Amino acid sequence: MALEPGADGQHITYCRLCEAQCGLIAEVKDGRIVHVGPDRDHPVSRGHLCVKGPGMVNVTYDKDRILSPMKRMGGLGDFAPVSWDEAISDIAERVDTITKRHGGDALGAYIGNPAAFSTMHYAYGYAFIQSFGSNKRYNAMQVDTGARVLASDQVFGNGHVYPFPDILDCDHLMIFGGNPVVSKMSLICAPRAMQHLDGIAKRGSVIVVDPRNTETAKRYEHQPIAPDSDAWLLAGMLKVMIDEGLVETEFLAERVVGWEKLFDRLRNLELETVQTKTGIDTARVQELARRFASARTAACYGRVGSNRGSFSTLANILMDAINLATGNFGRDGGSLIGIAPFEPKDSSYVAPGYGESRSRIGDLPLVSGVQPGGTLADDILVPGDGQMRALFVDCGNPVLSYPDGEKTERALESLDLFVSLDFYMNESARYAHYILPTTTFFERADINDLWSPNAPEPWLHYVQPVIEPLGEARHEFDIYSSILSHLGRPNPASMLMGTEPSEGQSEPTHLDLVDAALRIGPFGDGFGANPDGLTLERLQREFPHGKKLADRMPSDRSWDRVALDEKKPRLWTDLIEAELGRLEAHSASADPAALKLFGRRLLHGMNSWLHNSDRVIRNSKPTLLMHPDDARDRQITDGKSVRIRSKTASVDVTVEITTDVVPGAVCYPHGFGHKGGWQKANELDGANINLLASSDPKDFEPVSGNCLLDGIPVEVTPLQDAV
Ligand SMILES: Nc1nc2c(c(=O)[nH]1)N[C@H]1C(S)=C(S)[C@@H](COP(=O)(O)OP(=O)(O)OC[C@H]3O[C@@H](n4cnc5c(=O)[nH]c(N)nc54)[C@H](O)[C@@H]3O)O[C@H]1N2
Ligand SMILES: Nc1nc2c(c(=O)[nH]1)N[C@H]1C(S)=C(S)[C@@H](COP(=O)(O)OP(=O)(O)OC[C@H]3O[C@@H](n4cnc5c(=O)[nH]c(N)nc54)[C@H](O)[C@@H]3O)O[C@H]1N2
Ligand code: SF4
Ligand SMILES: [Mo]
């Protein structure tokens, strides 16, 4: 039996900060969490964790945490506590008035990264705005995975699948723009990822394609590359495979469509152009192609570094193409798409059609129904039909995570209603009319619903809260439900289930929603049809440490989730043809002499937060990494202050000279430049690097609306010279 929330003893729980979702044991004494350690009985993490999981105790009891609804009384950050009743009724009435007067699209929601680890969070947050007729769904997609989502839509007909490498049995892994030593591996749920990567390196190779010699590159094999040039390398590698007959044509003929057209087109690619664009010489491109094609099992895996450039959708499509061309998709040790426990059996669920609607700003096609993130500020500032006037920011911090932070601040300040759901007053929430305090993961029940298909060793884990919500904190689902209830509307779960509760019955919750999805899914009890199957209740009672669903994600099931004719992935679409055309046209243009700015993550933090805890942040400091040749040319010396200037803005930072970055590029992490309600974080060094990123739609990748975050042209000057 699970302990009651707040009861003394050892509570089984799990970390909800990154895809690894490690099992934790939280010890409670006198109603307070006194220690958090690894859960050695978790079937997959088996005792693994990192500094951030236990660091959430410091967040939970942080003196800067917001524990009652706060209303803005005057200037920036000038908040006073109010009652929940007052906050909910005022917010509900203002949302009602604004949407009645200006239409549903006057209301928007930005739902940030932590929602990816909180049960059904995106679903009910967006159902909330949809109930007012709004289409303004914003999130981190176009600063994170937008290109991957669009590539999946094109190749697999299903924007909801993220192929991942079967790291348990892979012999040759190429990582494009990911740094698992720091990030713990993203878009794949593998708490012990590093052990598996070590295994791959022992059997074969792990090659890290990155403009920086990262922590992961140092552990394995580094392939330096110019920022924003992955599509060139991938196209070049595939061309070599085609020219040298290293592709599996029988497999392709049987299981894939459109490949001949892609191959025909790539035959004309000049490897010299690949060399010029990437900085990788032709012999090495050939070697990379041959090694990949001759490995027993191999996979290309891309993460954020190959997702926010000028040709990122194509880069992701070419990764799929290489996996398919070498017969490595849907087979052990290759690239897989996992079984979805919360979708009905053999579902071919199709995401909202690509480009079915377009953005008000920039007229860009929506990917999976999400607005292009970089347009948020203008969607608020630019008058006209559909102008946004009310915004809910739920677990997000767009001032530090979206491009052009300064414009985002101006936009947030101009809103008629801005509600932040958070447990801190972050840099964005300073502008809010209300901050509504939410729970940390120790204070809520959750199941690992969203990412469960992406685990090489699949598992499900359903846990109860370790403690009751502190102060007046509330779950986000309850906050949205209360606002709707005040207006006499059904709650988000009722809307998503499409059912009206009968007389005397209470409304369903988000947990009922996930229970129903589990029960009709491939591991469920089918509401009695399959008595051995799972329900949430059974999962918790019988498998408190989590249930492993299979020893290995069955590779052949990958094909089931291809939502195209005969379940055949396709390598030729109008979009692919047009993107190749755009890439070729770019080959003629000379790159500007400017330095290219790209990003990195720090081990001791999480995007724009976890910086308020000494235990997590320790002494890490953001610095601008610059190659000695570039520093010499500019008379810049180590540890000095420099000014970075882009066409959007300039910021001043401290420089660190190192051969770890390729010449011609500089590197700085995002999520700094704190000025919120956090005492420790505000004292940290560091600037908001996203001041430099452009919010002009002309600078986005046109097909996905992705922002250009890696490869921003900048100039860097010593500070005393800057004017
Ligand atoms: N400690 C820690 N862990 C985290 C996070 C965190 O902030 N801190 N954030 C979480 C989140 S939200 C995410 S999405 C994941 C991200 O997980 P990862 O994608 O693994 O994250 P990063 O460490 O940013 O690695 C991106 C890498 O891309 C490289 N890169 C930049 N530009 C290019 C390019 O043009 N081409 C290539 N090939 N490489 C390039 C960078 O040098 C960097 O090493 O991490 C998650 N985990
Ligand atoms: N230049 C550059 N920009 C980037 C990136 C980059 O690599 N380079 N990475 C991008 C990526 S991958 C991402 S995912 C985004 C992340 O950016 P965002 O999604 O905007 O979010 P975070 O910075 O993670 O901020 C999370 C906020 O949510 C709060 N929070 C934490 N947990 C909860 C919870 O359970 N409930 C609620 N209500 N609030 C909670 C925290 O206090 C914090 O204020 O940044 C992106 N921006
Ligand atoms: S790796 Fe760290 S942050 Fe990620 S789930 Fe495990 S403990 Fe949490
Ligand atoms: Mo992310």
Side-chain angles (χ1 to χ4, degrees), residues 171-181 194 197-198 200-225 233 237 280 283-292:
D171 275 8
H172 187 91
L173 179 66
M174 284 192 80
I175 300 178
F176 292 85
N179 188 11
V181 169
M194 293 321 297
L197 296 197
D198 288 350
I200 300 174
K202 219 165 152 192
R203 293 191 296 277
S205 313
V206 174
I207 303 176
V208 181
V209 181
D210 202 300
R212 180 167 76 89
N213 190 8
T214 63
E215 296 76 356
T216 312
K218 285 182 176 150
R219 185 154 160 158
Y220 306 116
E221 179 178 339
H222 183 213
Q223 176 53 61
I225 189 170
L233 172 60
M237 282 176 59
I280 305 172
R284 176 69 172 165
V285 175
Q286 287 164 331
E287 182 205 324
L288 290 171
R290 290 172 195 149
R291 281 171 65 191
F292 191 98

Side-chain angles (χ1 to χ4, degrees), residues 83-153:
S83 72
W84 271 110
D85 282 351
E86 183 185 335
I88 294 291
S89 58
D90 188 31
I91 292 167
E93 279 149 33
R94 287 163 73 175
V95 168
D96 195 44
T97 309
I98 290 169
T99 51
K100 278 186 178 141
R101 188 173 301 158
H102 302 287
D105 276 345
L107 168 69
Y110 173 98
I111 307 186
N113 168 269
F117 310 99
S118 151
T119 311
M120 293 268 157
H121 197 148
Y122 292 112
Y124 60 69
Y126 293 140
F128 169 77
I129 59 162
Q130 214 173 332
S131 79
F132 296 92
S134 167
N135 190 27
K136 294 289 178 67
R137 299 177 204 87
Y138 282 91
N139 60 38
M141 189 163 91
Q142 287 88 351
V143 284
D144 188 343
T145 50
R148 178 60 260 169
V149 173
L150 180 52
S152 291
D153 171 274

Side-chain angles (χ1 to χ4, degrees), residues 16-17 56 59 110-115 118 121-122 139-140 143-145 303-304 308 393-403 420-427 436-441 444 476 599-601 606-610 668-671 678 689-690 693 709-710 712:
R16 278 147 268 179
L17 290 174
M56 274 303 285
V59 169
Y110 173 98
I111 307 186
N113 168 269
S118 151
H121 197 148
Y122 292 112
N139 60 38
V143 284
D144 188 343
T145 50
R303 262 324 274 135
V304 297
R308 291 96 47 101
V393 173
D394 176 352
C395 61
N397 194 0
V399 167
L400 296 196
S401 48
Y402 265 8
S420 167
L421 276 64
D422 209 298
F423 37 70
Y424 284 114
M425 180 180 76
N426 67 26
E427 288 63 30
L436 303 180
T438 56
T439 56
T440 65
F441 65 67
R444 60 173 201 245
E476 293 85 352
R600 72 179 185 277
R601 287 179 153 64
M606 192 68 186
N607 297 317
S608 75
W609 66 296
L610 289 190
Y668 197 85
H670 75 288
W678 19 43
I689 202 68
N690 281 348
L709 296 181
D710 290 318
I712 304 173

